[in-house]
Amino acid sequence: MDKFYEFLKYIALGLAQGITEPLPISSSGHMMIVDSIFGKVLPDAAMNNFQIIVNFASLLAIIFYYRFLIKELIIGSWNYVVRKKQEDKPKFTYVLLILLASIPAGIVGIIIKIYDLDQYYTNILFVGICLFITGILLLYIHKAAPTANREEITWKDSLLIGSAQALGILPGISRSGVTTSFGVSNKVSLESALRFSFMMYIPASIGAACLGAYDIYKTADQISGPISGYIGAFIASLLGTYFAIKLFFNLVKKKNLKYFGIYCIVVSLIVLTLIATGVFTW
């Protein structure tokens, strides 16, 4: 029975990552909350490797969800560059904008990696504060979205949204929430900003996955816990991400982002209260 309960903890962590990755409520923050509820499922060194694995599952789910758009962009770019088809130039430009937007987060991520800066902000208190900020951003998006109706992504939008993605590295700051808010503030429509946000997530996450694979190789001896738990969490994250992203875009069409904002603020206040009362330690 104890082994089954332990297995369920891994599933819960995988679902926390999977369900919250495409939602604007911070997957990293929710994983830390769930981990705190269970009283630390894994030690910090092992948790890092665990997060790499479940994040990779989310990446695969998002690639699968956008497979037709990705295929269209790849073929269009090939036709423009190799076959000189001018009608496919917009697709090639869109790919360049995605790559450009991925640069700021990549640079920040490498700096954090080199100087091990995440040790200063990876804690439950930081999550509580950042979730409150995320909630405010989402309420702003809800208010500003009706006047944002530009569908085209420009070079300026790319750099602006890409810079916002660097902020999404912080646990508790929703990557999709902060990038979308920057896009909407520049009058990009909500759906266009979200689509671009998920597209630029792919190259950034592929880079992070490559660095993560190297980390796992170096610290393989620090992987602890049952293998079945890792496999179960991977599957839970994969399925959770896929179905959550489908649900999310249905909610976006109904302009229901304010409820995510209210949710983040409520969770933030609960987390901060639990810290103040000593239930959560940081």
Side-chain angles (χ1 to χ4, degrees):
M1 191 66 183
D2 288 343
K3 288 184 178 180
F4 180 69
Y5 180 62
E6 196 69 19
F7 176 74
L8 289 180
K9 290 181 181 179
Y10 284 85
I11 296 297
L13 284 173
L15 281 175
Q17 160 62 31
I19 293 174
T20 59
E21 179 58 57
L23 302 182
I25 55 177
S26 178
S27 59
S28 58
H30 277 74
M31 278 194 70
M32 289 186 66
I33 292 172
V34 172
D35 193 40
S36 295
I37 290 172
F38 287 126
K40 289 286 185 182
V41 177
L42 289 165
D44 291 338
M47 179 57 77
N48 182 57
N49 288 336
F50 179 82
Q51 287 179 328
I52 291 168
I53 292 169
V54 292
N55 279 326
F56 183 64
S58 289
L59 171 62
L60 292 179
I62 290 173
I63 289 174
F64 181 75
Y65 181 83
Y66 279 111
R67 62 193 182 280
F68 298 117
L69 176 58
I70 293 171
K71 179 181 178 182
E72 180 183 332
L73 290 174
I74 291 174
I75 292 175
S77 297
W78 173 268
N79 286 339
Y80 174 73
V81 174
V82 178
R83 298 181 178 179
K84 310 301 180 183
K85 292 186 176 181
Q86 292 300 312
E87 64 269 23
D88 285 316
K89 183 179 179 180
K91 296 183 178 65
F92 176 68
T93 301
Y94 194 79
V95 171
L96 291 181
L97 292 174
I98 291 169
L99 296 176
L100 176 64
S102 304
I103 294 173
I107 293 173
V108 172
I110 291 172
I111 292 173
I112 289 172
K113 193 77 175 174
I114 292 174
Y115 295 102
D116 198 22
L117 299 178
D118 55 348
Q119 62 179 309
Y120 298 110
Y121 59 77
T122 307
N123 59 69
I124 195 67
L125 175 61
F126 208 88
V127 169
I129 295 170
C130 287
L131 274 175
F132 190 87
I133 296 172
T134 294
I136 298 300
L137 285 174
L138 292 174
L139 293 179
Y140 163 75
I141 295 173
H142 175 75
K143 184 178 180 180
T147 61
N149 49 28
R150 181 162 53 84
E151 298 298 326
E152 180 188 5
I153 301 292
T154 66
W155 296 98
K156 179 182 176 182
D157 297 326
S158 175
L159 287 172
L160 187 67
I161 298 173
S163 298
Q165 182 167 238
L167 296 176
I169 293 174
L170 301 174
I173 295 292
S174 164
R175 187 200 60 81
S176 60
V178 71
T179 53
T180 302
S181 67
F182 274 53
V184 169
S185 70
N186 209 34
K187 301 304 180 182
V188 177
S189 72
L190 180 56
E191 287 194 47
S192 292
L194 276 171
R195 187 182 305 110
F196 188 76
S197 174
F198 281 110
M199 284 292 99
M200 70 180 187
Y201 165 83
I202 292 174
S205 292
I206 289 174
C210 291
L211 289 175
Y214 179 66
D215 278 351
I216 291 177
Y217 173 76
K218 289 194 305 179
T219 60
D221 58 321
Q222 294 177 349
I223 294 180
S224 61
I227 296 299
S228 60
Y230 282 78
I231 295 173
F234 181 90
I235 295 172
S237 179
L238 182 75
L239 296 177
T241 299
Y242 179 73
F243 288 108
I245 196 172
K246 293 185 70 174
L247 169 67
F248 182 42
F249 273 97
N250 287 331
L251 290 173
V252 167
K253 291 174 183 176
K254 298 176 182 177
K255 311 297 182 185
N256 285 335
L257 280 185
K258 67 177 180 181
Y259 299 113
F260 289 110
I262 294 170
Y263 168 82
C264 285
I265 291 173
V266 170
V267 172
S268 167
L269 295 176
I270 291 173
V271 168
L272 293 175
T273 299
L274 291 175
I275 293 172
T277 55
V279 177
F280 284 171
T281 58
W282 65 283

